[in-house]
Amino acid sequence: MKPVIRLGNIDLSFHAASAAVVQRILERHGYEVITSTSPHETMFLRYGAREVDMLVSAWLPASHGGYLAPHAANTRKLGVLYQPYCIWGVPEYVPVDQVASVMDLARPEVASRMSHLIQGINPGAGISRFSRAMVEQYGLAELGYHFENGSEADCFTRFEKSVERREWFVVPLWHPQFLHHRYAIRELAEPKGLLGGQDDATLIVREEVAQRMAPELLDELTRLSLGNAVVSELDYLICREGLSPLAAADTWLFRQSA
């Protein structure tokens, strides 16, 4: 009878991409893997309640550090899968000499042309928390800018349709993410440092579960490093090429073994 591990990931596509790679590694080591997804805060609550054994992944220290803190004493950190960071970006056709910084959004000639809707994703995401603070602290709300939460599809479809129209707009985004695999998105300078800096996307497992794992499995998971470009590519395969997360993971793992 195979040992069972319950693998959780935050319910965004790029988290599913990296979780699928971890799932395949666990399966190669003889595990039956039961997967589940939840929004950011809910997933960490479920992790703390021992409903999942391993979580892909905790963005530490900034984005998810507060969510993990109550459960840190019973957590073992394994590999850093990639190094995410949040941005406010604009499409490359928005002239850099006019919009290079978040502060430029307040210039009258920019504010009059720029879309004032900043379309985000779910409220628990780090980029959502950071973006709400930025609208206020950069004085953008009084100029009509407003951040709106929504689904992944709301954010990403809005980006693609707005690019088709050559609209000037800001996208609250992060690396890695599939839009970077296809589009050139210029990161705006953010002098107040409200976007949290670069995190380590860390594979975490409950300590009592880690103690039952074979040393060679723990070693492989600790050495696992995908990188931002790979996760963006996997995310693109899922979201725009129609592959399942496991099929995307298999494509990448096959390349690694060839």
Side-chain angles (χ1 to χ4, degrees), residues 168-180:
W168 284 29
F169 68 102
V170 173
V171 60
L173 206 58
W174 57 89
H175 286 274
Q177 204 281 329
F178 77 84
L179 291 172
H180 297 292

Side-chain angles (χ1 to χ4, degrees), residues 197-238:
Q198 181 174 277
D199 277 327
D200 288 336
T202 307
L203 177 61
I204 61 172
V205 60
R206 291 192 291 109
E207 182 60 38
E208 66 268 26
V209 176
Q211 290 175 9
R212 299 194 296 268
M213 290 179 161
E216 56 269 23
L217 171 58
L218 288 172
D219 180 64
E220 183 172 356
L221 293 174
T222 300
R223 289 185 289 105
L224 180 62
S225 178
L226 302 175
N228 288 357
V230 167
V231 176
S232 292
E233 180 185 1
L234 293 174
D235 195 27
Y236 186 84
L237 292 174
I238 294 166

